[in-house]
Amino acid sequence: MKEYHVKKIHDYFYLLRYDDVNTKFFEALWEIPEGITYNSYLLAGDEKVVLFDGWKKGLDAEFVEAITKVVDVRDIDIIVTHHMEPDHSGTIAHVLEKNEKVKVFGHPMARKMFESFYGIEGRFKPVADGEQLNIGNHVLTFHFTPWLHWPETIMTYISDMGVLVSGDAFGGYSVPDSLTDSSDEIVERYLPFVRKYVFTVIGSYIDFVTKNIAKLSSKNVNPSMIAPAHGLVFTRNPKKIIDYYAGLASGDVSYRKVVLVYSSMYGFIDLLMREVINELDKNNVPYTVFKASDSNRFSLGDFIGEAGDSSALIIGAATYEANVFPLMNFVIDMFIKKIKSKKKIIVVSSYGWGGVAGKKIAEKLSSAGHEVIGIVEFKGKPRSEDAKKLKEYLDALL
């Protein structure tokens, strides 16, 4: 499999994409068997050569090799960093070693990050929000877009080309078969990975998606191409990815989808979850199941992605050492941290000698603003009255 691609996607504008299928946990947290790309861009005009972002730390040789397929590294005049996280800035220091005259342009906050990450001083030039940089045939306009997903994130708009280099925003997980949104089928296969990316990476700051889209619109940023730091470049229909991000950020759910997430050490909670599945099937309600047991462990990232645009959840966890089962306690904490739209939730819990988990889970979820429809908590094996109570809650939920 080819590890990187270099392709001209507009006049003077080139995509440098690295396909990472080896990283198993993005940010050492999110499972990504689908992989991820790191997208850098070169604007190689007649007067100035601009490099936008880099690749992940450790890909120095590959990155320079990709650049030299377009220009000599020593011919780069400007480097723009939109986000200092090392999956984008990690190869820039190596470029600076090869090119002693070039400087890095970015958000003022990024200067100290750059110096502390890579030990390089005197090579950074801060830009202002809305600042324009004339590079001869083109004008670059820098827009601050904070918390997408760090505070120092910016975007660059090349207005005469209609290109928005957007950093992490408008990106997604996976290694798509295409470099661009060349067909509806490619985009539809890609969007679930975008959803997962949005909620796992940007979820805590999801309100800033709406704010920054509005800000860009107010500045007359109307791109005909969106060039993100991960995933597909949108050249055919950039509005599609903007609207998709906006829809996820709005929290609106136009269809019913229930997510079941639970742990079952010895199968007791699993018995009631089967009742839930039967009821959902009877009512033709779409659902996704995430189950942890002595033989299975679900993907936290996949769960967060599915939960983000769900209409309701069924959460199950036993009492464990006078608290919530540890794995589910962590899962619930991450759900609360990453998913800001309010959900309707039923809690299912079991215990051996003293039940506290159901109440603790409900209190935690309610404090975060979610609506807990009810708690079904039972000792040992669930009985018919527990199943009846659960059905009543499901009727109210559906």
Side-chain angles (χ1 to χ4, degrees):
M1 178 180 176
K2 189 175 180 181
E3 292 183 326
Y4 70 80
H5 310 262
V6 177
K7 182 177 177 61
K8 186 177 183 179
I9 54 176
H10 200 292
D11 294 340
Y12 312 109
F13 193 67
Y14 296 81
L15 164 67
L16 284 60
R17 186 181 103 172
Y18 185 86
D19 296 345
D20 183 359
V21 296
N22 295 314
T23 295
K24 304 305 179 187
F25 298 91
F26 188 68
E27 299 180 328
L29 179 60
W30 310 109
E31 305 93 327
I32 51 166
E34 63 270 23
I36 193 166
T37 75
Y38 311 118
N39 301 345
S40 175
Y41 302 90
L42 272 170
L43 179 59
D46 294 334
E47 297 187 33
K48 297 285 186 181
V49 176
V50 183
L51 174 65
F52 299 97
D53 297 316
W55 290 347
K56 187 179 181 181
K57 185 178 180 181
L59 298 172
D60 295 336
E62 294 90 340
F63 188 55
V64 168
E65 182 179 86
I67 290 173
T68 55
K69 291 184 181 298
V70 182
V71 297
D72 191 302
V73 174
R74 292 168 296 183
D75 291 335
I76 297 172
D77 299 289
I78 296 165
I79 299 174
V80 178
T81 179
H82 297 95
H83 174 36
M84 274 304 302
E85 198 166 6
D87 58 332
H88 307 298
S89 66
T91 55
I92 290 176
H94 188 61
V95 174
L96 295 182
E97 291 175 5
K98 300 281 186 181
N99 183 332
E100 296 181 355
K101 68 178 175 64
V102 70
K103 286 196 173 185
V104 179
F105 288 60
H107 193 288
M109 287 184 67
R111 180 205 293 268
K112 290 192 179 296
M113 291 183 183
F114 190 76
E115 293 172 354
S116 64
F117 285 7
Y118 305 113
I120 298 174
E121 298 183 0
R123 305 287 297 274
F124 193 93
K125 179 174 174 49
V127 301
D129 190 14
E131 179 179 338
Q132 293 188 326
L133 179 63
N134 192 319
I135 57 170
N137 293 333
H138 309 286
V139 176
L140 312 181
T141 304
F142 305 113
H143 296 283
F144 289 7
T145 51
W147 298 111
L148 298 181
H149 60 117
W150 282 14
E152 88 308 349
T153 49
I154 67 171
M155 297 185 189
T156 301
Y157 188 45
I158 312 170
S159 56
D160 60 285
M161 297 170 60
V163 174
L164 179 65
V165 189
S166 61
D168 272 344
F170 308 127
Y173 292 125
S174 80
V175 178
D177 295 334
S178 173
L179 301 179
T180 67
D181 61 332
S182 55
S183 72
D184 291 341
E185 291 76 16
I186 285 170
V187 172
E188 290 308 309
R189 287 200 302 270
Y190 174 61
L191 289 181
F193 299 115
V194 173
R195 180 186 62 200
K196 176 180 174 181
Y197 178 83
V198 168
F199 289 118
T200 56
V201 174
I202 306 176
S204 297
Y205 309 109
I206 197 76
D207 289 347
F208 285 89
V209 171
T210 304
K211 292 175 182 177
N212 282 303
I213 288 175
K215 176 182 178 179
L216 292 171
S217 179
S218 72
K219 300 298 181 181
N220 296 315
V221 175
N222 185 29
S224 56
M225 177 189 296
I226 291 183
H230 299 293
L232 287 178
V233 179
F234 279 75
T235 61
R236 192 171 62 103
N237 185 9
K239 189 174 183 297
K240 175 78 173 182
I241 193 65
I242 294 174
D243 289 348
Y244 189 70
Y245 259 67
L248 294 176
S250 73
D252 290 339
V253 178
S254 57
Y255 59 95
R256 291 192 300 173
K257 182 182 77 172
V258 177
V259 171
L260 287 71
V261 59
Y262 67 100
S263 60
S264 188
M265 289 184 286
Y266 299 108
F268 295 140
I269 288 180
D270 197 41
L271 291 173
L272 273 194
M273 289 300 186
R274 292 178 196 173
E275 296 289 334
V276 172
I277 290 170
N278 288 337
E279 287 299 316
L280 294 176
D281 284 336
K282 287 178 186 177
N283 288 276
N284 296 314
V285 176
Y287 61 87
T288 307
V289 179
F290 296 93
K291 172 185 173 182
S293 69
D294 57 1
S295 61
N296 186 67
R297 184 66 56 85
F298 59 82
S299 161
L300 176 62
D302 287 348
F303 160 65
I304 294 295
E306 288 287 345
D309 66 346
S310 66
S311 54
L313 290 90
I314 317 295
I315 297 177
T319 291
Y320 187 95
E321 297 179 349
N323 210 327
V324 180
F325 185 72
L327 173 64
M328 288 304 300
N329 210 18
F330 174 67
V331 168
I332 293 164
D333 283 346
M334 292 305 296
F335 166 74
I336 289 171
K337 181 178 179 63
K338 292 292 184 177
I339 307 302
K340 299 305 178 183
S341 58
K342 306 313 176 187
K343 308 295 184 184
K344 294 182 178 181
I345 300 171
I346 295 172
V347 176
V348 177
S349 186
S350 66
Y351 61 94
W353 60 90
V356 298
K359 182 179 178 182
K360 284 178 176 285
I361 293 169
E363 288 176 348
K364 184 180 290 192
L365 292 167
S366 296
S367 295
H370 299 287
E371 181 184 352
V372 177
I373 301 296
I375 305 169
V376 180
E377 192 162 32
F378 53 91
K379 183 175 182 178
K381 183 179 179 180
R383 289 157 178 78
S384 59
E385 55 266 31
D386 299 312
K388 181 180 178 182
K389 187 176 183 181
L390 177 61
K391 186 179 183 308
E392 291 173 356
Y393 290 147
L394 282 170
D395 289 343
L397 186 73
L398 302 176

